[in-house]
Every structure is written in C-alpha cells, then in structure tokens.
Amino acid sequence: MTTSIQPLTSAPWKQGVKDAIPLLGGYIPVAISFGLISIQSGFSVFETILISTFIYAGASQFLFVAMAASGAPLWLMVIMTLLINARHIVYGPNLSPYLNEDKRWIPLMHGLTDQIFALAHVRLPQLPDQAQVGWYTGAATLAWFSWIAGTALGAIAGGELTQRWPLINEILPFALPALFFVLIVPRCNNPLWTLTIMVSAVTALILKLLGYPNIAIPLAAMCGAVLYYALKNQRIMRGK
Amino acid sequence: METSMWLALTGIAIGTYLIRLLPYLWMKQRLAKQQKEGGISAMPTWLTILGPTMIAAMFGTSLVPIHLDVASWLATAVGMLITFVVWTRTRSMGLPILSGVVAFGIITILF
C-alpha cells in the first residue's frame, strides 16, 4: 500500500466527495431497503429518517426496527444494536495517527462507518496534513447524506421503486466488494500480508454464508491478525 | 413512537457515536503522551494489523451475493476479475469499480 503523499488536483472536500462516489452504489440500495422495512415495521417516514440520521449504522438499524416490530424489550434492543456496532472500536484508533489536532474531528467521528473507515485508512496517509479534514468531511458527508436520502426514498416510495427496477437492489451493491478490493489489494505486496488478507476475507465469507453476518467482520479480522502474528513469529524463530 | 422508544433510539444513537469517538480520543491522548515523554509515538502493533484485516473481512462479507445461485457467484467472479484487471492497468479507484459493477450487471442480466 502506498503511503507517499500525493498532491491534490482539486479542493480536498471535492476529492473526498469524488473518492466516496463508489460508496453510493452500496449505500443507496441498502438505505432504500431500510426505509421500506422501517415503514412496514410501523415507524413513520419522519421517524425512519431520524433513525438513519442519528444511528447511521446499517446492520444495527435493521436489527432495531426488526426487534421493535417483534416487541422485544427496549434494554435488549439497545444492548444488541450496540454490540453489533462494537467493531467500530478499532476504527478511530487506527486513523488517529493521521488526524491532526483539529477539533472538527470530534463531530466528524459520527460519520466513521465501515466503508468510510476503509476509505480513510487508505487515503488519509496519502494526503497532506492540511487537506485531511476537508477530504474526510467531503467523503463522510456524501456518504451520510446518501444514506439519509436513500432512506427517505425507501420510506416514501420504496415499494414502487423496487417493483419497477428490481435490478437496482441486485447490481449496484457490487460497488462495495469492488471498492473494498481496490482498497485492500495494494496491501498484498508480500507473502505474509497476502496470506493474512486472504484468510481474513475467506473466513468472513464463510462466516456470512454460515449465517453469522454480524460477527463475521470482527471474528475474521481477529483470525487474520492471529495468523499474521503466528507466521511472523515463525519467521523470527527460523531466523534465530 | 412512544417515549420509551424515543429513549431507546437516543441511547443507541449516543452509544454508537461514543463507540466511534472515545477510542479515537483515547489513542490520540496516548500518542500525545508518548510524544511528550520523549518517545516515538506509535500505535500498538496489533491495532495496525487489525485495520487492514478489518477491511479484508468487510471485503469477504460483501462478496456474498444476495441470491446464492450459480449465476450470482459467476457474476461476482467475473465482476471481481474485471475489477482486478482494470485496477492492474490504472491503479486507480473509480474506473476499476465502475468496470466491475458493469461486468457484474451484464452477467446478472444475461443469466
């Protein structure tokens, strides 16, 4: 993965918006589905939009409305949704070496989703210090607004939209694996990292196929990290 | 929506925000403290490894198609192959992703 500083050809926020455009392919169809399901679960359009604006975390939002519809206890809803979001714990610390002392980072942390983390983890080290807040603001704001707009669209006209263009839901989300791929493939520049990344990805894929979508990301990432340490230690031992 | 539901929503929103914010503030303080004490400010190694493995895991989960049939897996494989080929030529983000989505879409529509 290249970490050399690259000069920007446009304003930092514009570059952030440009870099985040592929996210729309994944965000909008999923947000439309969420809007639709939330209305079907008994929430109003306004409430649905508020959920997307303030919780702003895909999987936990779906769980929240599903548990609300099934009449689950409120304390359980809060705990379960926060547990799903617990994987976000490692995102902020991973980005912190690249972020300056600017106080704007504090509210901007609201926008630190899985996808924005993946994008920022690769792009921030390549940007000059003074461009980072602007870049992140552009990328995170586009992603946030697209999530809110997609939710509103789904809540108001989701049924008609998915009936008229059923392929929207099937084709556009492929932008997400393609995005993650171009973000992670430059890391595969030596056998140790290549194997670590492959094992993490395959483990996550298998866990999701087995029906554990929420635990797949943190568990597979930990498996990959353990493998990395094991292989590295083995290499050191051999060196001795 | 009942008051209790509003409370739950507020609790989840604040909790999610704090999950994103507090670890960042903790690490920022830790790095600043290390620098102040004259040492080289560095993140724990395990954390620097978890970053890329998290992205790899997101990639793995996002690969699973909506319908688990042969056509969807074929579309996924072709889409990824095209993304990779275009990436090796351009080393950029936008064009490889667009090409991958188009290839995935063509196979989905054809089959």
Side-chain angles (χ1 to χ4, degrees):
Chain A
M1 193 182 293
T2 175
T3 49
S4 59
I5 306 291
Q6 294 168 3
L8 289 176
T9 49
S10 56
W13 71 269
K14 276 189 194 167
Q15 187 62 45
V17 168
K18 195 177 153 195
D19 287 347
I21 285 173
L23 292 180
L24 302 187
Y27 272 40
I28 294 176
V30 179
I32 290 174
S33 306
F34 172 73
L36 185 60
I37 289 168
S38 179
I39 295 294
Q40 287 167 350
S41 303
F43 290 93
S44 70
V45 172
F46 178 64
E47 289 161 356
T48 300
I49 293 170
L50 280 186
I51 293 170
S52 273
T53 306
F54 293 109
I55 297 184
Y56 188 35
S60 64
Q61 287 183 212
F62 279 98
L63 186 71
F64 175 72
V65 295
M67 287 182 87
S70 68
L74 290 174
W75 62 268
L76 189 64
M77 283 165 59
V78 175
I79 289 174
M80 290 305 291
T81 48
L82 291 180
L83 268 180
I84 287 182
N85 293 336
R87 68 182 182 280
H88 293 189
I89 284 173
V90 299
Y91 295 169
N94 253 292
L95 295 183
S96 57
Y98 313 120
L99 312 183
N100 55 24
E101 298 303 323
D102 200 313
K103 293 281 179 231
R104 281 175 292 177
W105 286 115
I106 292 176
L108 284 171
M109 283 296 125
H110 177 59
L112 192 60
T113 59
D114 294 329
Q115 296 76 13
I116 287 295
F117 164 70
L119 200 56
H121 190 257
V122 173
R123 290 294 279 133
L124 285 178
Q126 301 168 343
L127 298 173
D129 263 6
Q130 67 277 14
Q132 290 174 341
V133 174
W135 179 90
Y136 184 94
T137 306
T141 307
L142 178 73
W144 190 36
F145 283 177
S146 73
W147 183 252
I148 298 167
T151 301
L153 202 60
I156 296 163
E160 197 181 330
L161 272 176
T162 47
Q163 233 173 7
R164 191 170 291 185
W165 293 294
L167 286 176
I168 286 180
N169 272 340
E170 295 191 22
I171 295 173
L172 290 184
F174 188 76
L176 281 188
L179 171 70
F180 290 135
F181 180 76
V182 297
L183 290 176
I184 201 64
V185 74
R187 261 284 183 190
C188 301
N189 53 8
N190 65 54
L192 180 59
W193 268 114
T194 305
L195 199 60
T196 301
I197 283 162
M198 279 175 66
V199 166
S200 305
V202 171
T203 309
L205 187 143
I206 292 170
L207 283 170
K208 189 169 179 189
L209 283 174
L210 290 175
Y212 303 103
N214 294 321
I215 204 167
I217 293 172
L219 197 59
M222 278 191 267
C223 285
V226 168
L227 177 80
Y228 180 92
Y229 270 112
L231 291 175
K232 203 165 185 194
N233 285 342
Q234 201 179 29
R235 200 184 271 184
I236 292 167
M237 297 275 273
R238 271 192 205 153
K240 278 179 182 173
Chain B
M1 196 155 67
E2 289 171 20
T3 313
S4 53
M5 193 64 84
W6 280 110
L7 282 174
L9 174 60
T10 310
I12 294 165
I14 294 172
T16 302
Y17 173 61
L18 292 179
I19 285 172
R20 289 168 177 163
L21 175 70
L22 294 181
Y24 155 72
L25 291 176
W26 165 74
M27 181 54 70
K28 204 73 198 158
Q29 258 183 348
R30 188 187 144 116
L31 294 176
K33 201 176 159 191
Q34 280 178 346
Q35 214 165 24
K36 214 174 171 182
E37 286 168 356
I40 301 164
S41 58
M43 281 204 302
T45 315
W46 62 268
L47 208 51
T48 61
I49 294 162
L50 266 185
T53 56
M54 285 290 242
I55 302 173
M58 288 178 213
F59 168 62
T61 55
S62 66
L63 270 181
V64 179
I66 299 167
H67 307 292
L68 297 175
D69 51 28
V70 177
S72 299
W73 283 111
L74 178 71
T76 303
V78 173
M80 286 319 308
L81 183 69
I82 297 296
T83 307
F84 179 61
V85 170
V86 178
W87 177 81
T88 52
R89 285 165 186 265
T90 62
R91 301 274 161 169
S92 64
M93 274 175 47
L95 199 58
I97 295 170
L98 182 68
S99 313
V101 172
V102 170
F104 178 86
I106 290 170
I107 302 291
T108 304
I109 292 166
L110 286 179
F111 293 92

